[in-house]
């Protein structure tokens, strides 16, 4: 079963990125409209979840958990804002590749925060991820905005790294 997930997940993510590019280029007038759409969908989910919690009489022991969830949700939407702006500046395949910066930043941030030490092969993998994401910038056909898209996605990746560290 894991093989099926590992084979189909990249395909579905590719479809999502292509649909995102289509909506940014053809449907939305401004890139931030994608963030508004995503935020509205998140609010709908929160309302439904709050109703289910109320009906099920589920008790949340600490209010800090709810506050943390809202902070993480806001950070995700900010990250999505940078993603949609980058998507308006560059091609979907290139911007999707820049999300690979997150798995490279996460162990580095974990080292500084939790003092987690990785093996030499893991550091080698981080170098490969970072260099391939940077080299991907040179394949961008939109020469004027290639660095702009990379910088926007670095910011989005840093924010998502913070999200994953908070979720940990």
């Amino acid at each position: 079963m894991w093989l099926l997930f590992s084979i189909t997940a990249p395909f579905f993510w590719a479809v999502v990125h292509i649909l995102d590019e289509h909506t940014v280029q053809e449907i939305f007038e401004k890139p931030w409209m994608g963030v508004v759409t995503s935020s509205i969908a998140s609010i709908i989910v929160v309302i439904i979840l709050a109703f289910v919690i109320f009906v099920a009489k589920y008790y949340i022991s600490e209010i800090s958990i709810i506050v943390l969830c809202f902070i993480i949700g806001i950070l995700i939407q900010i990250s999505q804002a940078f993603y949609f702006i980058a998507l308006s500046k560059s091609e979907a395949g290139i911007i999707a590749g820049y999300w690979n910066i997150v798995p490279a930043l996460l162990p580095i941030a974990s080292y500084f925060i939790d003092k987690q030490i990785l093996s030499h092969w893991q550091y080698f993998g981080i170098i490969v991820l970072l260099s391939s994401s940077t080299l991907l910038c040179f394949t961008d056909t939109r020469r004027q905005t290639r660095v702009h898209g990379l910088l926007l996605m670095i910011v989005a990746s840093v924010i998502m790294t913070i999200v994953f560290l908070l979720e940990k």
Side-chain angles (χ1 to χ4, degrees):
M1 188 58 133
W2 65 268
L3 184 61
L4 178 66
F5 287 132
S6 67
I7 292 172
T8 57
F11 170 75
F12 287 121
W13 276 115
V15 170
V16 166
H17 289 296
I18 290 170
L19 290 174
D20 283 347
E21 181 182 35
H22 174 73
T23 54
V24 167
Q25 302 292 336
E26 304 294 329
I27 297 173
F28 296 147
E29 294 175 17
K30 303 282 184 192
W32 56 265
M33 295 175 104
V35 178
V36 171
T37 306
S38 176
S39 297
I40 290 171
S42 297
I43 289 170
I44 291 170
V45 169
V46 167
I47 291 170
I48 292 170
L49 186 61
F51 179 74
V52 168
I53 288 173
F54 179 74
V55 169
K57 294 183 174 41
Y58 182 77
Y59 177 72
I60 297 176
S61 59
E62 293 183 35
I63 196 74
S64 63
I65 294 172
I66 295 174
V67 172
L68 184 64
C69 289
F70 276 105
I71 290 171
I72 288 172
I74 290 168
L75 288 174
I76 289 172
Q77 295 307 321
I78 292 170
S79 174
Q80 289 293 307
F82 284 105
Y83 163 71
F84 279 112
I85 294 169
L87 203 54
S88 71
K89 307 278 184 201
S90 189
E91 299 170 13
I94 293 170
I95 297 301
Y98 290 153
W99 277 123
N100 288 329
I101 297 171
V102 175
L105 290 178
L106 199 54
I108 294 169
S110 293
Y111 171 77
F112 288 110
I113 293 171
D114 296 333
K115 304 295 183 221
Q116 293 180 352
I117 298 175
L118 303 176
S119 71
H120 295 296
W121 286 110
Q122 290 168 321
Y123 287 117
F124 176 73
I126 291 170
I127 291 169
V128 169
L129 274 174
L130 289 176
S131 60
S132 63
S133 294
T134 306
L135 290 174
L136 195 59
C137 177
F138 296 113
T139 65
D140 195 348
T141 58
R142 301 179 188 174
R143 296 181 193 268
Q144 301 87 352
T145 59
R146 69 168 63 165
V147 174
H148 192 76
L150 174 63
L151 293 176
L152 287 167
M153 285 307 294
I154 287 173
V155 173
S157 297
V158 167
I159 293 170
M160 285 307 294
T161 301
I162 293 168
V163 165
F164 290 131
L165 289 172
L166 287 174
E167 289 176 348
K168 184 179 173 183

